Amino acid sequence: SCFQYLCLQGIAPHVTVYSTAPNSNLQQLQVLSPEQHGVQLAVTALAFSADGERLVVCGDEPDMSLLVYTWRQASLKRTEHGR
């Protein structure tokens, strides 16, 4: 499968994962809310794992959080805080 993500910044940043599979319409698959886990203002980077099962979200200052989700279940698996 092919996946893309869109991240909206601001007071309550969130990440939306979409399916971009060939020959299909764009389909929203999941919405993640990193602000619930310490990301206050912005997401600076996102990356899928090699198997496509996990999504890493990096938060901006002041929190500098690193979040690892199993995104299909919207389940947070690990959190690291930079400050």
Side-chain angles (χ1 to χ4, degrees):
S1 296
C2 300
F3 306 108
Q4 294 290 324
Y5 47 76
L6 172 67
C7 181
L8 297 180
Q9 314 288 29
I11 295 172
H14 65 274
V15 176
T16 305
V17 179
Y18 294 92
S19 171
T20 56
N23 303 318
S24 70
N25 294 328
L26 189 67
Q27 179 183 7
Q28 180 178 314
L29 300 176
Q30 191 62 265
V31 177
L32 305 173
S33 300
E35 80 278 359
Q36 295 175 349
H37 306 288
V39 176
Q40 297 175 13
L41 297 175
V43 172
T44 58
L46 299 156
F48 285 103
S49 61
D51 63 5
E53 294 301 315
R54 291 173 302 284
L55 181 64
V56 177
V57 176
C58 299
D60 199 1
E61 295 184 289
D63 44 88
M64 305 296 289
S65 298
L66 180 70
L67 310 173
V68 180
Y69 289 94
T70 51
W71 66 268
R72 292 178 199 270
Q73 294 81 27
S75 175
L76 183 67
K77 293 299 178 188
R78 185 169 179 120
T79 304
E80 295 290 333
H81 297 285
R83 294 186 185 214

